[in-house]
Amino acid sequence: TSAREFGGIFCTHLAPVDAEQQATERYLAVAEFLGLGREPVGFIFATSDDDRRFVEELMPEHKPYAVLLPATNWPTKQWPVERFAAMVEPIRRRFGLESVIAGGADAALLAASMPGAINLAGKTNLRQLVALLERADLVIGNDTGPMHIAAALGRPLVTMYGPTSPFQTGPYGRLDTVIRLDVSCSPCFSRSCSHQSCLRWLEIEPVLELARKQLAIKPAGISLPVL
């Protein structure tokens, strides 16, 4: 009943779905409506040993690392890149982790503003990116697709939310990884904003503190099928 972009006009049946539910739960509700059930929930990534070897060759001396995901497809979802840059040294000093910048060409454009990090942005395909995230000791990122992959992989994670709702599109089953400010206009679901207070007012220390808490939790160690 909450089909977007006029999708409902092409439907013969409308499933009763709560638009306020997390997106995965909404999709499961549709599956249940179609008689397919809703369990179990599994996340399958087509990552191979070749993809893992590719990542191993990129990483110097097999050091433990944190993956930083600074890019987004909405400008309003982007935590300031200078905050990501300011975390590189504290992450090394406090947690003993090298910082790795990952993502596509959009992240590569931001990498020049993040000295001291290993720049793999734009150097991996999607399968290789999954392999990179599999080995990450920590992932810190905006509301993006790679962040959701890290969540599905059970990695220690911190994700910054501003204009979108973590209750609707947050990392599935991982709301403890979300950090956001209690700003009256958030979530606004807008792709443009004159002030972007919800993210620009978020400093690095709360993010690092949540990272510390995530690192103290034993990773879920989710076993995922490999195709």
Side-chain angles (χ1 to χ4, degrees), residues 55-66:
V55 169
E56 288 175 1
E57 291 172 2
L58 288 177
M59 294 302 299
E61 302 176 15
H62 304 286
K63 292 181 178 179
Y65 60 87

Side-chain angles (χ1 to χ4, degrees), residues 45 69 133-134 136 138-140 145-157 171 174 222:
F45 299 100
L69 302 168
L133 293 169
E134 277 182 343
L138 174 68
V139 179
I140 300 177
M147 177 278 293
H148 287 285
I149 293 173
L153 290 169
R155 307 319 303 151
L157 172 67
R174 304 285 306 276
I222 297 174

Side-chain angles (χ1 to χ4, degrees), residues 28-189:
L28 290 172
V30 173
E32 188 172 41
F33 177 77
L34 295 173
L36 303 175
R38 51 188 304 135
E39 298 293 344
V41 177
F43 300 96
I44 300 174
F45 299 100
T47 305
S48 68
D49 287 339
D50 287 341
D51 300 316
R52 296 182 180 94
R53 280 191 290 270
F54 179 87
V55 169
E56 288 175 1
E57 291 172 2
L58 288 177
M59 294 302 299
E61 302 176 15
H62 304 286
K63 292 181 178 179
Y65 60 87
V67 172
L68 306 184
L69 302 168
T72 63
N73 60 341
W74 292 16
T76 51
K77 288 184 182 182
Q78 189 168 320
W79 195 44
V81 66
E82 59 267 24
R83 305 278 166 79
F84 277 102
M87 289 196 301
V88 171
E89 183 53 35
I91 286 172
R92 181 184 295 115
R93 186 175 64 251
R94 299 183 194 184
F95 309 136
L97 303 176
E98 296 296 315
S99 291
V100 177
I101 308 169
D106 49 357
L109 293 174
L110 301 174
S113 302
M114 301 175 62
I118 300 168
N119 179 17
L120 299 187
K123 299 178 182 179
T124 59
N125 61 29
L126 184 56
R127 290 163 54 127
Q128 293 158 354
L129 176 60
V130 174
L132 179 70
L133 293 169
E134 277 182 343
R135 280 186 49 206
D137 294 89
L138 174 68
V139 179
I140 300 177
N142 298 306
D143 174 15
T144 63
M147 177 278 293
H148 287 285
I149 293 173
L153 290 169
R155 307 319 303 151
L157 172 67
V158 179
T159 179
M160 293 72 74
Y161 267 68
T164 50
S165 168
F167 303 104
Q168 293 178 316
T169 58
Y172 184 61
R174 304 285 306 276
L175 283 181
D176 61 309
T177 68
V178 172
I179 187 166
R180 62 187 296 269
L181 296 177
D182 186 13
V183 179
S184 61
C185 56
S186 172
C188 65
F189 304 102

Side-chain angles (χ1 to χ4, degrees), residues 205-220:
E205 282 303 324
V207 174
L208 290 168
E209 174 58 19
L210 183 53
R212 183 192 66 78
K213 292 178 180 178
Q214 284 290 307
L215 286 166
I217 301 172
K218 184 178 180 180

Side-chain angles (χ1 to χ4, degrees), residues 16-34:
V17 173
D18 182 356
E20 298 301 315
Q21 280 187 310
Q22 205 273 349
T24 305
E25 291 295 332
R26 297 199 299 272
Y27 301 144
L28 290 172
V30 173
E32 188 172 41
F33 177 77
L34 295 173

